[in-house]
Amino acid sequence: MRYQFGKNWQKYLRHFTDERVEVAINCLQSLTKDLNNRSFLDIGCGSGLHSLAALRAGAREITSFDYDHDAVAATASLWEKEGRPKHWTILQGSVLDAN
């Protein structure tokens, strides 16, 4: 049995703001210094907040994936609101899957 985090992420997005994205961008930049023109892999993407932050921080390619179908749907909703950027890919799967 697994806890379905994705349902919580979908509820979280009801209170989503650009201010939260700015905080996420600042956190990512404090770790990486510069995401401009880099690839970003978001393993266990949850709400998609950090993938969106990487996009807005200038990442050249973003790949987001999560095991939970509802988390993938939450991330996809941010992708759609952002205009369906072609360089942002969202997948459902497990990091433990060799494929």
Side-chain angles (χ1 to χ4, degrees), residues 4-61:
Q4 296 178 331
F5 287 103
K7 291 189 187 298
N8 285 344
W9 289 126
Q10 289 182 354
K11 289 178 186 173
Y12 169 78
L13 291 181
R14 293 182 199 149
H15 308 284
F16 195 78
T17 64
D18 280 336
E19 180 180 62
R20 291 179 190 218
V21 179
E22 288 300 318
V23 170
I25 290 170
N26 291 334
C27 288
L28 287 176
Q29 288 176 334
S30 73
L31 293 171
T32 64
K33 303 298 180 224
D34 183 16
L35 285 172
N36 194 36
N37 208 28
R38 292 187 174 190
S39 296
F40 185 80
L41 177 61
D42 193 354
I43 300 170
C45 58
S47 68
L49 171 63
H50 290 99
S51 294
L52 177 58
L55 177 80
R56 291 191 183 174
R60 141 181 77 75
E61 178 183 7

Side-chain angles (χ1 to χ4, degrees), residues 39-40 51-52 55 59-64 76 78-91:
S39 296
F40 185 80
S51 294
L52 177 58
L55 177 80
R60 141 181 77 75
E61 178 183 7
I62 299 102
T63 302
S64 313
L78 290 182
W79 172 78
E80 286 183 23
K81 288 180 183 176
E82 201 66 16
R84 300 177 176 211
K86 293 184 192 302
H87 61 291
W88 181 359
T89 304
I90 303 166
L91 305 166

Side-chain angles (χ1 to χ4, degrees), residues 60-79:
R60 141 181 77 75
E61 178 183 7
I62 299 102
T63 302
S64 313
F65 74 94
D66 202 298
Y67 180 82
D68 188 299
H69 291 279
D70 292 318
V72 171
T75 300
S77 72
L78 290 182
W79 172 78

